[in-house]
Amino acid sequence: MTAQIGDRFLYGGDHYSIVAISNSIQFDPSDYGIKPAACCTACWNGYWCDYRISSEGITLQNLYINSEEDCYPKINGISPESDDGKHFKYMGHHLYKNINIFMEYTGRILAGKDFMREYYIHMGYQRAWAYKVLTEWIFDGGRLVKTVDHSEMAEKLRKELEVFKDKKENGKADRDIVQFVQDSFSLDMREKAWWIKQREI
């Protein structure tokens, strides 16, 4: 199994990686005539997005996508760039750059920056505690209405993880591997951010 590349976010001049989301962002490539298909094991969705976040809301800035039918129509007047076949810089995907599509999103997004390599898992999406900075954005009708810093919680989780590792090494803890795999490939807020109260998701 392979670590998955997920949506990325530009906020306040910094880049964040998705950790969890309460509702899916309603972007569908098929609306633009593209049927995505995986071209590598690191992106089973067949595409991922770069979003820009501001007080106005979320804008889809860049789209990295592989078309099952090799069909790449213009999106918002933009034609895609493709890999040159030598450097594999987009992991084999085409890049629609600066398409700038506003997304009228309502929900919560949890994202992290300053990834800590020692917590990397080569499967699914990375966990909340793997980031020094953990931020939650809350949107209503497309507008960013609240930002919550969960960095202290991420640090607390790292400490708890170290205690768990110590117990496991001493034969005092076990882990359901099936559940671990399921959680790794999930972006559900209830699984990846269980400390956030259900009524707030």
Side-chain angles (χ1 to χ4, degrees), residues 5 13 39 42 78 88 91 96 99 122 127 142 175-176 179 191 199:
I5 184 166
C39 67
I78 303 296
F88 208 54
M91 297 170 57
Y96 285 90
I99 52 179
H122 193 59
R127 302 305 181 97
R175 177 64 168 158
D176 184 343
Q179 187 63 50
E191 296 171 358
R199 61 180 175 82

Side-chain angles (χ1 to χ4, degrees), residues 21 55 67 72 74 96-97 99 104 126 137 150 153 158 163:
I21 191 166
S55 58
S67 169
Y72 297 95
K74 288 185 178 181
Y96 285 90
K97 192 173 183 179
I99 52 179
E104 193 168 332
Q126 302 306 311
W137 300 299
H150 290 289
M153 176 57 73
R158 286 193 293 272
V163 171

Side-chain angles (χ1 to χ4, degrees), residues 13-115:
D14 294 317
H15 288 88
Y16 290 75
S17 298
I18 192 167
V19 173
I21 191 166
S22 65
N23 302 309
S24 62
I25 298 175
Q26 296 301 309
F27 171 73
D28 186 349
S30 65
D31 291 341
Y32 300 89
I34 306 175
K35 185 177 181 181
C39 67
C40 70
T41 58
C43 185
W44 288 117
N45 289 333
Y47 73 98
W48 75 93
C49 302
D50 289 336
Y51 293 99
R52 185 172 62 251
I53 292 180
S54 67
S55 58
E56 287 76 29
I58 304 176
T59 302
L60 172 56
Q61 186 173 24
N62 303 319
L63 169 65
Y64 301 80
I65 191 165
N66 179 61
S67 169
E68 181 179 82
E69 300 167 346
D70 199 31
C71 174
Y72 297 95
K74 288 185 178 181
I75 297 179
N76 229 12
I78 303 296
S79 297
E81 303 173 7
S82 62
D83 281 336
D84 58 12
K86 297 179 181 178
H87 299 99
F88 208 54
K89 58 183 177 178
Y90 309 140
M91 297 170 57
H93 298 72
H94 284 62
L95 166 62
Y96 285 90
K97 192 173 183 179
N98 293 324
I99 52 179
N100 297 323
I101 300 173
F102 180 75
M103 310 304 297
E104 193 168 332
Y105 177 73
T106 295
R108 296 165 179 261
I109 299 173
L110 188 67
K113 72 167 185 159
D114 298 339
F115 181 72

Side-chain angles (χ1 to χ4, degrees), residues 19-20 124-126 181-189 191-192:
V19 173
Y125 300 97
Q126 302 306 311
V181 172
Q182 291 175 346
D183 290 350
S184 294
F185 281 89
S186 172
L187 288 173
D188 192 308
M189 290 282 282
E191 296 171 358
K192 287 291 182 70

Side-chain angles (χ1 to χ4, degrees), residues 135-184:
T135 302
E136 179 188 10
W137 300 299
I138 303 171
F139 299 87
D140 185 12
R143 293 187 308 109
L144 177 62
V145 296
K146 190 175 181 180
T147 300
V148 183
D149 185 354
H150 290 289
S151 302
E152 287 188 5
M153 176 57 73
E155 184 177 7
K156 178 182 177 181
L157 293 172
R158 286 193 293 272
K159 290 178 180 178
E160 291 179 356
L161 181 63
E162 294 306 316
V163 171
F164 173 80
K165 285 182 177 178
D166 289 341
K167 289 182 178 179
K168 187 175 181 180
E169 288 175 358
N170 293 318
K172 296 180 180 179
D174 198 4
R175 177 64 168 158
D176 184 343
I177 189 62
V178 174
Q179 187 63 50
F180 181 78
V181 172
Q182 291 175 346
D183 290 350
S184 294

